[in-house]
Structures are given as C-alpha cells and as structure tokens.
C-alpha cells in the first residue's frame, strides 16, 4: 500500500536501521541467509524495523515511529515492556514520561486524573467493566498480548474530543512474518506470603476464576420477588394472608442462601502464570499477491496477595478521630486473556484485519477489619467486620478493519473499522458480617459475639453490563505541489453505549436474637436451627437502596477534517477540526423499575445531557536537520463527567472503598492545550527530548469531601477554572563512549524521564460542599514525576539486567472540606530489578524483584495518617521457550 507509515530516509534513520539489522545478524547468524536474499531489493524506505538482536536496542526500538508521528506522543514497544518485566499495561505505562499509576489500575497523564484520559484498543473505543468509571482499568491488559502502547499527548481531529491529559491506544500482537510458537511458565512469591491467607469454604478452589454457582442469588429468592413483590414478611403476607406462613417463607428463603462463609486461615501458595502464543504468515498463490496471516495467544495468572491496611477518619483539624480501622486481608487474583488476530492482503493495495480480544479478571478479596468509632469506644468495645468481596470483570471485543489504496482514483486511500464490544462486572456475593468484640490492654480479643443489629450480615449481588458499538471510516487524498506533499483527510465515526446495572442487598436481622445464640462462627450463628428458632426472631430483610439500580445510554456522532502538509522534509504542518454531537441519559431506578426521584428529580430530561461543538487542533514540526526537530501544537478539547458521577445517588467506589454520591449538575470541562517539544535523535541510537505544556481548564471536575451529620463521603464538583503547566524531558544514552572498545561499557545504557509541573484551580462553596482550600493544586496532580532505568546486555547476548526506579511527588487524593485539609497521597519510591539469561537460542529465564525497597502506600490529612497499605516485595521467575 503506497502510503503506509514509513520512516524518513534520513541519515539518522538509515543508520539506526543498519545498526539494528547488523546487530541482529551478529546475534543470530542463522538469519543471515534470509537477510542476504532480501538485501538485493532496492528500497530506500524502511517500513518495519525488527529488533531480534541486542536487547539494549529495545529501549529505542519505537523511537523512529515516535519521530514520524505528526503529534506529540510517546510509545512503548513489547520489547521495552519485557525489559522492565511489567506484567500488564498499567504497570508498563508508568514508565512513560509524565505518567503515574493510581491504585494499580488507572493512569494519570501529566498529573491529570483518569477522567482526563481516553483509551482505545487497536484504535477503537471499547467499554469499561468498572461500574463507576468510563475509562478502562489498565491492569486488565496483560503484557503477553500487547504489541505496543501509544500515548498521544497532543490532540488530533481523528481522535475523540474527550482528551485532557492524553489518549492511550493499546495495540495487541501483530501478525508475524514467519511461523512461531512460544510458551512460558512462571511462579510468584510475595514477602507477605509468609503469613497465612484468609479464605472461606470453596474460596481457595477458584483457580478457574469462575463462580461455581454457590455464590449466586438463590432462585427461590428471585421467585419470591416475582411472586410477592419482595421478600420481607410484610410483602409475603400481602399475598398469602397468613402471618405464620409469611414468617416461615421468609426464613425458608434465608435457609436457601449460602451461609457456609466462615473465614478460615490457610497457608499461602506461591502464584502461577503461563502463556502460549502462535502465529504464521502464508502465501496463498505463487505470485505472492495474496497473503494470509494469524496470531493467537492466551495468558493465565493465579496469585494471592496478603496485605495489611490502616484507615482513619478525622473529626477536626486538630487530628481527633471519628473512626479508625485496622485491616488484614488476602486477595486472590485469577486472570485469563486470549486474542486471535487475522489478516488478509491482496496485492499491496488492500488489507483486511480482524482482532478478537477476551479479558477476564477475577478478584476474591477476603478481609477482617477491626473498627473503632466514638460509639464503640464509649462502650469499651469494637466492631470486627468479616467481609468477602468477589467480583468477575470481563471484556470481549471483536474488531474488523480494512485499508485500501486506489491508484486509479488519484491515489485515494480508504480506511474503515467496526467494533462490537461487551464489558461485564459480576459480583455474585459481596458479604459482610459484624461481630462486637472486647479487647484487653494488649489488643487481644477476649470476647466475640455477632452484633445484635438488623444488619448483622449483609449480602449484595450486583451485575453490570456495558455494551458498545463503534464504527467509522476515513478517506485520504494526496496532492503534490512542487516540493510539498499535501494529504487531505476526512472521516466519520459513531459510538454507542448501553449500560445496565442492577444490585440486590439482603440482610440477616439478628436484633432480637437470644444472647447465647450470637456466640460462634458465622455458619453457627446463622445455622438452620437458629434461623428457624422463633425465640431468635430472625428475619431476612431487603435493604436494597432506592437507587442501587440504573440504566444509561450514550451516543456520539463525530466527523472530522484534517490536512497534513510536508514541505521538502523541512516543515510539516498538520491540523483540522472535529465535530461531536453527544447525547447521554443516566436513569437511577427504584427496585420497582421506576425512575428514582432522589434529589428532587423524577423526569427523564432531568437526567439527560446533550451537547455539541467543534474542536480544532494544529501541530507544526520544524525538521531542523537529520537529527533534530521542533514541535508545536495547539488544540481545544473537553472532558465529560462519567456516567455515575452525574447520578445524585450514593454508591461505594470499588477501587478506593470510599462512599460517594453523584452530582447531576456537573458540567463538561473545556480545555485549551498548548505543547512544544524539541527532539534530538542521534546516529548512535541515543536520543534526548525537552518539552513544555500548558493547559487552561474551564470548570474542571474535582472529587471533594463532604461532611454530613452521619458520616463523611466524597462527591464531585465543578471548579470555576484551573490551569496546569510544566516541563518534561526524556533521554536514552548508551554508555559505550565512556570507554570505547570496552565490551562491558558497550553493553550498558541508561534512560529516564523527568516531569516538573504545577497546577492551580479555583473552587467555590456550593450547597453542602464547603472546600477548605478555595485555591489549590488539582486532584491527582504531582509536581514532579521521575523514571530512571539502568540496563546491561552482556557482549555474548546471554545475559541482560535492568534496574528501574519510579517515583511521583505528593498529590491530592481528594480535597478536604469544612476546615479539614486536603488528603495527600505520599510519594511511593518504586525500585524493581529484572535479570534475564538465555541459555539456549530458544530459551529465556527471567527473574524479577518488584518493590525492592518495601515501600508502603500512605495518605495523610492534617499531618495524620488516614490510609496506609503494605503491598510487600514480590519475586517472579519465568521460563520462556520460542520455536
């Protein structure tokens, strides 16, 4: 295809390509014969650079692609991810300049929260299985299926207008040139594994990451809702007209529920992971005009992470406590992923591709929390909460795309794609039951009894489905005017989302239990005999909130026009405009399926949003010489509130555990973006870039703290305005110049990046939201982010080692109110080490130590610790084979 992306034939580009090719031939002589055959082809344009030799080139493998992109962007290839040993996209992206990781799942670009970034999979938008966010948790994507990660930091007309910090495109494995098969197996151990894990009967057997049906809502309960309109004694009595029968039916429903949920301690087994992938490319005819290729792979991980955690809630600025909690927990994580990509090419002008991606992530989080509040302290007792949070997250994406070149139609190029994707979050059994305990002076528990309350045990069953359809096409016409090449491009995109979220909460009422029957394990307190005993007055209650259920829909029609002018390989100007017509409705529902009137709203229009607008962008590149270039970019974009953020209902954030409430009055945030970056690509393969950025935000969305009479929760509010600006630099330097000719120094290289920035927003009180600081930095913004990588490849290519350091500056986790200062997440100094050895041409052994410094996650408010978690130090050992 004539206009496929190509690297310029500059001296630097040819030098890098030649050096990489030579290195690969020296490392793998068996490939020399094929290379000699291809050397006769007189082609001065390099379309693909394949790095199969010296691993130190992995850090600069995608440099030329980044150089050719007309917008400010950063890229990370599969070899770079393998070099650092990161296991998923989230961990890998924190190595990119200006990016930080939050909760191991979400990426902050240039200090802006996850809502300010957009994500695509192979260029298409896909849904999120997170019930509270539109963005995709990046830990869903294992490194085993990733070909490269692209982070575009300057907007372009072809990408969605919902762009603030950056747009991340996750590209799955590409179809190979030749047949290969690769598999790996490995193990994992964490220093916290020396402690026993917490589990429950059946919980430690979930190696498949699938519920066996024991956790699901019993069919009898579902039938009772259908037959009686509810499961309470009152609901049942309205139908059966017999009080004793109603009580018996109600208790019979409880007997059908899974009560074999007493927490146990068992030894923690080491983790396991494995992968298998295969690919091939075939000529379908003798002339080589038709080619078919495929690549498929699967990945599996099963590990348990033990952890300790502390939480606290401040009552005032003096640091007095409202409540505190000490947590001991174990989280079992089971991940499955699979991909199957196919491609068909005929001549050099037409290509069809399909991408099928399946991701499954199951988390079984079991914890014991010792809570103390003002009420329990006055009673000289504490609450011990045993909880199980089991959830299955899945994402299935099917994509088909085409690229066509028509030489008989003025060299027009046409591209199109269609994507159908479905995400789901199933939580068939979130259970929490509460004991009242008495402690001695050393903290040891001397007395334990089930709390005598109506919500002594609470079951929650949740199911969220998010279906999306995304399609689009574009046409490109090249024009040649003297020494200038002008490409005109236009296209259309459509995106549609339909989301449903349903939840049921049931409680065991033990408020009338006999005291003697409250003592014992969970399955003993709520045994068949105790539930059926009339002296205990047991009842099964429906505690589902009026707004636990909701449905939502989005539709976006978008069109764009773009030009790309390249004048004599000296100046390049790219720009255009994008138009988006956005419609959204989010309806909180009562258990009866009616629109909730929470917040005084009861009409569909009260929950609807419609907006449209034009979003221009312009990028200019001055190619100063064969090694240096200067970029300048401007764009106008926006960020829209997430679905759940605009619902005026209360919910629990599954990521942070905080209670939150939406705000239906939120507005979208308009953003003006300016970027400038100087880049230097040296013939040696080293590179250096220095850039600056500025963003002006109108009505940025912030998470703020609300103090009510009952408790403290978080909500969302538009600030009046805000700005963020900073400098960022990145470098890659080989160290052979220190002692030329030394094999040791030739094998060493260092790379890293540093971002220095600042931000400020102005936010005013509104309703029950009274921010303590009306002027402050943006939520999630770190004033500095640093990455440093030191790597070594042995002269014989049998060994490789990498030491990677990452740290971010103090950042606001959420804003304080009512006199309480902001909650600040403290810097986390991450130091990881990876060592690889290649005893055979087809075999690699990799060892990684993660969080060597044993750092802990910590939040502070008013100088007091309000959150602390110990992740431990993790070690992994992997054996890989490729044929």
């Amino acid at each position: 295809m004539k206009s496929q992306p190509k690297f310029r034939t500059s001296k630097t580009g040819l030098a890098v390509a030649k050096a990489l090719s030579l290195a690969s031939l020296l490392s793998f002589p068996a490939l020399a014969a094929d290379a000699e055959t291809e050397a006769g082809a007189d082609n001065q344009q390099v379309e693909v650079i394949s790095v199969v030799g010296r691993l130190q080139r992995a850090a600069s493998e995608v440099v030329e692609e980044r150089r050719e992109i007309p917008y400010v962007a950063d890229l990370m290839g599969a070899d770079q991810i393998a070099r650092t040993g990161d296991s998923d996209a989230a961990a890998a992206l924190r190595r990119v300049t200006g990016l930080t990781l939050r909760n191991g799942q979400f990426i902050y670009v240039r200090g802006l929260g996850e809502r300010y970034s957009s994500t695509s999979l192979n260029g298409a938008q896909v849904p999120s299985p997170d019930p509270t966010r539109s963005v995709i948790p990046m830990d869903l994507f294992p490194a085993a299926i990733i070909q490269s990660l692209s982070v575009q930091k300057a907007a372009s007309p072809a990408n969605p207008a919902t762009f603030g910090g950056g747009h991340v495109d996750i590209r799955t494995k590409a179809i190979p040139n030749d047949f290969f098969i690769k598999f790996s197996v490995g193990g994992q151990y964490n220093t916290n594994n020396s402690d026993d894990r917490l589990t429950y009967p059946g919980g430690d057997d979930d190696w498949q990451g699938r519920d066996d049906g024991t956790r699901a809502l019993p069919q009898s309960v579902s039938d009772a809702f259908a037959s009686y309109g509810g499961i309470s004694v009152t609901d049942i009595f309205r139908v059966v007209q017999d009080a004793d029968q109603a009580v018996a039916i109600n208790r019979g429903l409880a007997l059908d529920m899974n009560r074999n949920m007493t927490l146990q301690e068992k030894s923690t087994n080491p983790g396991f992971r494995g992968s298998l992938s295969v690919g091939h490319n075939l000529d379908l005819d003798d002339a080589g005009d038709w080619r078919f290729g495929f690549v498929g792979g699967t990945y599996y991980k099963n590990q348990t992470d033990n952890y300790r955690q502390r939480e606290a809630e401040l009552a005032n600025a003096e640091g007095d406590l409202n409540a505190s909690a000490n947590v001991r927990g174990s989280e079992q994580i089971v991940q499955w992923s699979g991909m199957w990509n196919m491609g068909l090419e005929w001549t050099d002008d037409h290509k069809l591709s399909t991408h099928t991606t399946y991701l499954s992530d199951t988390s079984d989080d079991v914890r014991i929390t010792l809570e103390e509040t003002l009420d329990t302290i006055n009673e000289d007792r504490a609450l011990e909460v045993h909880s199980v949070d089991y959830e299955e997250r899945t994402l299935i994406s099917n994509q088909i795309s085409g690229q066509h070149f028509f030489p008989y139609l003025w060299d027009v190029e046409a591209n199109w794609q269609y994507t159908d994707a479905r995400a789901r979050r199933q939580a068939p059994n979130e259970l929490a039951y509460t004991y009242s305990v008495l402690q001695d002076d050393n903290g040891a528990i001397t007395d334990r009894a089930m709390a005598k309350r109506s919500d002594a045990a609470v079951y929650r069953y949740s199911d969220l489905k998010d279906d999306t359809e995304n399609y689009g096409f574009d046409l490109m016409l090249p024009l040649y005017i003297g020494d200038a090449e002008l490409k005109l491009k236009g296209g259309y995109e459509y995106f549609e989302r339909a989301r449903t979220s349903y939840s049921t909460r049931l409680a065991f009422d033990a408020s009338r239990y006999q005291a003697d029957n409250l003592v014992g394990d969970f399955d003993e307190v709520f045994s068949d005999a105790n539930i059926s005993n009339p002296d205990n007055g047991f009842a099964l209650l429906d505690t589902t909130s009026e707004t636990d259920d909701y449905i939502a829909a989005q539709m976006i029609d978008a069109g764009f026009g773009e030009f790309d002018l390249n004048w004599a390989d000296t100046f390049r100007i790219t720009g255009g405009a994008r138009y988006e017509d956005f419609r959204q409705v989010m309806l909180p529902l009562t258990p009866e399926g009616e629109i909730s009137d929470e917040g005084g709203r009861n009409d569909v229009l009260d929950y609807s949003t419609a907006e449209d607008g034009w979003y221009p962008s312009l990028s200019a590149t001055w190619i100063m010489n064969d090694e240096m270039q200067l970029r300048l970019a401007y764009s106008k974009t926006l960020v829209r509130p997430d679905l759940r953020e605009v619902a005026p209902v209360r919910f629990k954030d599954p990521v942070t555990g905080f209670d939150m409430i939406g705000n239906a009055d939120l507005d979208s945030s308009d953003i003006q973006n300016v970027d400038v970056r100087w880049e230097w690509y040296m013939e040696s393969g080293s590179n250096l870039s220095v850039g600056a950025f500025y963003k002006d935000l109108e009505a940025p969305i912030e998470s703020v703290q609300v103090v009510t009479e009952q408790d403290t929760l978080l909500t969302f509010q538009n600030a009046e305005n805000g700005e963020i600006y900073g400098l960022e630099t990145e470098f890659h330097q080989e160290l052979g110049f220190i002692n030329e000719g030394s094999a040791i120094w030739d094998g060493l290289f260092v790379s890293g990046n540093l971002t220095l920035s600042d931000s400020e927003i102005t936010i005013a009180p509104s309703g029950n939201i009274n921010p303590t600081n009306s002027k402050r930095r943006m939520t999630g913004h770190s004033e500095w982010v640093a990455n440093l990588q030191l790597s070594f490849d042995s002269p014989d290519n049998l060994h490789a080692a990498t030491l990677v350091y990452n740290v971010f500056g103090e950042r606001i986790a959420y804003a304080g109110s009512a006199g309480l200062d902001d909650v600040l997440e403290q810097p986390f100094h991450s130091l990881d080490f990876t060592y690889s050895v290649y005893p055979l041409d087809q075999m690699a052994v990799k060892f990684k130590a993660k969080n060597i410094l044993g750092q802990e996650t910590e939040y502070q408010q008013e100088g007091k610790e309000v959150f602390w978690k110990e992740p431990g130090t993790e070690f992994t050992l992997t054996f890989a084979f490729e044929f």
Side-chain angles (χ1 to χ4, degrees), residues 215-226:
R215 299 179 179 86
L217 183 70
Q219 185 61 45
S220 60
V221 177
S222 299
D223 294 342
F225 276 107

Side-chain angles (χ1 to χ4, degrees), residues 218-232 235-236 249 253:
Q219 185 61 45
S220 60
V221 177
S222 299
D223 294 342
F225 276 107
S227 301
Y228 310 117
I231 52 88
S232 70
D235 292 326
I236 299 172
I249 293 174
L253 296 175

Side-chain angles (χ1 to χ4, degrees), residues 14-26:
L14 291 175
V16 171
K18 183 177 180 180
L20 294 175
S21 300
L22 179 61
S24 66
L25 295 180
L26 291 175

Side-chain angles (χ1 to χ4, degrees), residues 45-66:
Q45 291 177 321
V46 181
E47 295 188 359
V48 178
I49 293 179
S50 178
V51 181
V52 293
R54 297 175 60 87
L55 292 177
Q56 67 177 3
R57 302 291 178 176
S60 59
E61 178 189 5
V62 293
V63 166
E64 283 296 319
E65 182 182 353
R66 186 183 79 163

Side-chain angles (χ1 to χ4, degrees), residues 38-180:
E38 297 172 1
D42 183 17
N43 184 1
Q44 290 297 303
Q45 291 177 321
V46 181
E47 295 188 359
V48 178
I49 293 179
S50 178
V51 181
V52 293
R54 297 175 60 87
L55 292 177
Q56 67 177 3
R57 302 291 178 176
S60 59
E61 178 189 5
V62 293
V63 166
E64 283 296 319
E65 182 182 353
R66 186 183 79 163
R67 183 181 183 182
E68 291 302 311
I69 294 176
Y71 303 97
V72 176
D74 292 308
L75 293 99
M76 174 172 283
D79 285 339
Q80 290 174 274
I81 299 173
R83 157 72 72 180
T84 57
D86 294 318
S87 60
D88 54 57
L93 282 168
R94 65 191 172 121
R95 315 296 183 190
V96 176
T97 308
L99 271 63
T100 56
L101 185 61
R102 176 79 186 278
N103 294 109
Q105 296 179 310
F106 300 104
I107 291 296
Y108 284 17
V109 182
R110 290 173 167 175
L112 294 167
E114 70 269 6
R115 73 161 52 83
Y116 290 94
S117 299
S118 55
T119 306
S120 60
L121 176 63
N122 296 313
Q125 299 181 67
V126 290
S128 170
D130 189 299
T132 61
R133 292 169 173 83
S134 296
V135 296
I136 306 173
M138 291 294 183
D139 62 326
L140 274 178
F141 298 89
I145 70 169
I146 296 173
Q147 179 69 24
S148 64
L149 300 168
S150 170
V151 182
Q152 187 170 316
K153 296 181 178 178
S156 61
N159 282 335
T162 50
F163 179 100
H167 177 79
V168 179
D169 185 34
I170 302 169
R171 307 164 180 173
T172 55
K173 292 288 188 181
I175 295 171
N177 292 325
D178 299 297
F179 174 79
F180 82 93

